[in-house]
Amino acid sequence: MTATINTIIFDLGGVLIDWNPEYVYLDAFDGDRNKMEWFFDNVCTMDWNENQDAGYSLQQATEDRVKLFPEYEDYIRMYYGKWEDMLGEAIDGTVKILRKCIDNPNYKVVALTNWSHETFPIALKRFEFLHWFEGIVVSGEEKTRKPFTEIYELTLERFNINAEEALFIDDNLRNINAAKKLKINTIHFKSPEQLQEELKSLDIRI
């Protein structure tokens, strides 16, 4: 690393906030994990959900799926109908690290998240720490998402960030690799403890 890091960019889901559709669907499928996983692999897939993260209407996405899989209509409508129940708690260890970063005047701290613009206000109401950031780029508001180059470039431009002076933290390796292509420093998040150690290795003093 040649440049000094002066900006830290946090992902939200999986890094600071626990979100998991299993919280709804494991009960819906009476504890049958195989049926639940088949549903996620074939009906309400991650690719389908990510399309809404890029700004597609939740209602229209639901109707599209119901037409394709009418026999699963009740389960499909449950995805966004019970979305708030999929939202878990804050990942406290990471929130503590975030607080230290915010409190350190050497760092600008922003967030870049794949999140539907329709559901993000729920998170804003629930999690006070989302209001600590200098700013948050929400994919659904921008009509694009990670790992597409334009959302990283938009984030850099909006907050006047030099890529080589920025650190991006995300739990999705695909998103990490996309950031690396733009010469952004990265940490592939696995746990708050691992994050703390990697921050030290990058000489980020918080």
Side-chain angles (χ1 to χ4, degrees), residues 22-91:
E22 287 191 12
Y23 296 151
V24 167
Y25 281 96
L26 198 56
D27 284 342
F29 284 105
D30 298 320
D32 191 325
R33 184 166 291 276
N34 289 333
K35 285 184 178 179
M36 178 190 71
E37 290 178 353
W38 183 93
F39 180 81
F40 292 150
D41 288 341
N42 295 278
V43 183
C44 289
T45 66
M46 281 296 105
D47 284 345
W48 171 77
N49 180 58
E50 284 192 327
N51 197 42
Q52 285 67 265
D53 287 346
Y56 195 66
S57 160
L58 303 188
Q59 181 177 351
Q60 188 59 55
T62 299
E63 299 308 325
D64 292 347
R65 282 287 120 161
V66 168
K67 285 180 183 177
L68 284 174
F69 302 97
E71 68 274 28
Y72 288 97
E73 178 173 1
D74 289 346
Y75 293 104
I76 293 167
R77 295 195 184 283
M78 197 179 293
Y79 201 95
Y80 293 117
K82 292 192 173 183
W83 183 88
E84 192 166 354
D85 293 334
M86 301 178 191
L87 202 56
E89 299 302 320
I91 300 172

Side-chain angles (χ1 to χ4, degrees), residues 107-202:
Y107 302 108
K108 177 187 299 185
V109 185
V110 301
L112 169 57
T113 184
N114 278 0
W115 207 302
S116 165
H117 64 289
E118 295 181 62
T119 56
F120 192 63
I122 297 170
L124 281 174
K125 287 180 182 178
R126 185 179 295 191
F127 301 107
E128 172 61 26
F129 63 81
L130 293 179
H131 300 273
W132 298 350
F133 291 100
E134 182 167 325
I136 300 175
V137 174
V138 178
S139 62
E141 295 174 359
E142 309 302 335
K143 311 301 183 189
T144 185
R145 62 172 175 81
K146 297 175 287 185
F148 300 126
T149 301
E150 55 261 39
I151 199 163
Y152 296 93
E153 292 177 337
L154 183 152
T155 303
L156 297 176
E157 181 180 356
R158 181 168 296 172
F159 299 111
N160 194 27
I161 299 167
N162 182 333
E164 295 181 13
E165 296 175 336
L167 172 66
F168 174 58
I169 302 163
D170 198 297
D171 64 316
N172 189 317
L173 186 58
R174 176 198 64 182
N175 299 338
I176 288 290
N177 289 335
K180 284 180 178 178
K181 290 178 181 177
L182 295 173
K183 299 184 178 180
I184 300 171
N185 301 283
T186 62
I187 292 177
H188 182 204
F189 178 87
K190 295 172 184 173
S191 71
E193 295 76 19
Q194 164 257 351
L195 174 59
Q196 184 71 60
E197 288 304 310
E198 294 209 35
L199 289 171
K200 285 181 184 177
S201 73
L202 290 173

